[in-house]
Every structure is written in structure tokens, then in C-alpha cells.
Amino acid sequence: AAAAQQAPEEAQIILNTKSTSTKEQAFVPDFIINHVPPSHSGSQWLQTKRANETEEFGDASLEGGYKQFREDIRSVVPDARVFTDPLRTLAYGTDASFYRLVPKIVVKVHDEAEMIKLIKAARANKTPVTFRAGGTSLSGQAITDSILLKLGHTWRYRKIENDGEIITVEPGWILGQVNRMLAPYGRKLGPDPSSIESCWIGGVVNNNSSGMCCGVSQNTYHTIKD
């Protein structure tokens, strides 16, 4: 008789096969991280971490030269104008660019005398400083992870001479405001950046601001007087 035709065996993939050993098998967890069974849950780990570690914020988080700098300037700038808390330092950690550097200390500086003392204290403690005016930089010039010296709205001295040919201003004025001061004389400043109604003179001068219309011949460095 003809042999009965046998159906072909189906190929099978077997996962997690059991050992043929008669020894009792150890418990296998439902998931394994890096081939090591977890010893505790994530919530237990977090509770342990919180119990064993204390996070410090504000002045308590400062170390080394930054801690000494903070102590040295207590007689220079009131505490109300010195920020070390995580919220305000985070807010000052960016400008108009897409970069972020969170400063350790932010100081709002009201006048030249304060600025001189702050720079001397920073130099003595070897702590770098960065200056910030309007914070409209597109390249991150107004941010730092060290000490940020922020100009306040008190830098407002101005003097117009020679029928508007020369104007002397402190860095707290907005560029558009200065141009409106000069408008009665039929004059304006050379640089014309797109942030003209928000950038401050301090940033305009320090970054050699230019613009779409002024070209190189009328940029900041070519129109400023020593």
C-alpha cells in the first residue's frame, strides 16, 4: 500500500524555553534591565534618594569664589537686587537667542560706582562676569553660567551738543528713544537693528550693532566718539 502522505512539520520559534534540569528554577522577573533583575521599584528608589540627599538653592548653593563674592557685595548692593534663587536665575538664563546658560548670581546694578565695586569683587574672587542691558542678543552675548551684571533703569543720563551732532547717553536708554531725542535736530544714530525699539545703548555699543540700512560706515564703532 502506498505510504500515507505526511503533512510537513511547521517551523516553530520557542522563546524562554524551560530547562530540562530537574532542579527547582529561580523566580524570573517580568522584565530585566541590563540583564540584572531590579531590586526595588522606581518609587522606592526615589524615596530613598530624597531621604539621603538634600538639595540646596539660592545663597546656600554657592561655593568657593561665588560664595565669597556674594558676601563681599552685601555692603555694595541691597539683597533685593541680588538674585540667586532658581526661578529668577532661570529667567535670566536666556536672551533673544536660543541658548540657555543659568547664572549663579544675578545683580541689578544701578550706577557706575556700584559697577566698579562689583567688578573689583569679582576680580578678587576670580569669578567671571557678563554684562546685560536689554537682553535682545541673538547670539547669546547676554547670558552666562557665572555672574550676570544686569543694568537697571537708572542709567539715564543724556546730553545733546552742537545742535544734535553729538549726544552723550548712559547705557540704559533704548536706541529708539535716543533717536526720538535727536529727531527735532533732524538726526539719528547710525545703527538700525531690527530690535531698535527694545535694544539698549549698552548692548548696541558693546556688540557693534549695525542694521539693514546703515551699512559698515554707519555702524556703532564708526559713529562712536572716544
Side-chain angles (χ1 to χ4, degrees):
Q5 185 177 2
Q6 296 181 353
E9 294 183 359
E10 295 182 357
Q12 295 182 350
I13 299 176
I14 302 175
L15 301 177
N16 296 328
T17 56
K18 294 183 178 180
S19 171
T20 57
S21 172
T22 57
K23 294 182 179 181
E24 184 177 353
Q25 300 297 309
F27 169 74
V28 178
D30 292 334
F31 62 92
I32 297 177
I33 301 176
N34 295 332
H35 306 289
V36 179
S39 59
H40 50 67
S41 68
S43 61
Q44 290 176 329
W45 172 84
L46 185 59
Q47 291 174 4
T48 303
K49 181 177 185 298
R50 288 174 174 171
N52 296 337
E53 297 182 12
T54 57
E55 295 188 66
E56 297 180 333
F57 301 103
D59 289 0
S61 67
L62 300 176
E63 299 178 347
Y66 294 101
K67 184 174 183 179
Q68 188 58 51
F69 174 85
R70 179 67 187 95
E71 293 301 318
D72 291 346
I73 67 171
R74 290 189 185 279
S75 60
V76 179
V77 180
D79 290 345
R81 289 196 274 119
V82 180
F83 309 139
T84 57
D85 61 279
L87 180 59
R88 284 179 289 190
T89 52
L90 180 67
Y92 280 109
T94 188
D95 49 15
S97 69
F98 53 77
Y99 304 109
R100 181 180 293 280
L101 288 173
V102 180
K104 294 177 176 60
I105 305 174
V106 179
V107 185
K108 279 196 171 182
V109 189
H110 275 191
D111 55 46
E112 185 178 347
E114 285 184 356
M115 184 67 77
I116 292 172
K117 293 177 182 178
L118 290 169
I119 293 175
K120 287 182 177 180
R123 181 177 182 181
N125 291 290
K126 298 182 179 180
T127 48
V129 300
T130 296
F131 304 101
R132 181 182 179 116
T136 59
S137 167
L138 298 176
S139 304
Q141 295 103 314
I143 58 175
T144 180
D145 58 358
S146 185
I147 297 173
L148 187 66
L149 300 182
K150 171 71 175 77
L151 298 185
H153 290 275
T154 54
W155 298 75
R156 308 287 279 183
Y157 173 83
R158 62 176 181 175
K159 181 181 180 182
I160 299 175
E161 304 175 75
N162 299 345
D163 199 28
E165 183 178 346
I166 298 174
I167 184 169
T168 303
V169 292
E170 285 191 324
W173 288 102
I174 294 174
L175 178 53
Q177 293 175 326
V178 177
N179 282 342
R180 284 187 283 278
M181 297 177 200
L182 295 171
Y185 303 94
R187 295 180 179 275
K188 70 178 188 67
L189 295 185
D192 59 329
S194 59
S195 57
I196 193 169
E197 291 300 335
S198 54
C199 62
W200 291 19
I201 292 296
V204 169
V205 172
N206 279 283
N207 295 300
N208 189 25
S209 291
S210 184
M212 292 296 292
C213 301
C214 73
V216 176
S217 62
Q218 294 295 316
N219 68 9
T220 304
Y221 286 1
H222 285 89
T223 54
I224 193 171
K225 183 179 179 181
D226 293 336

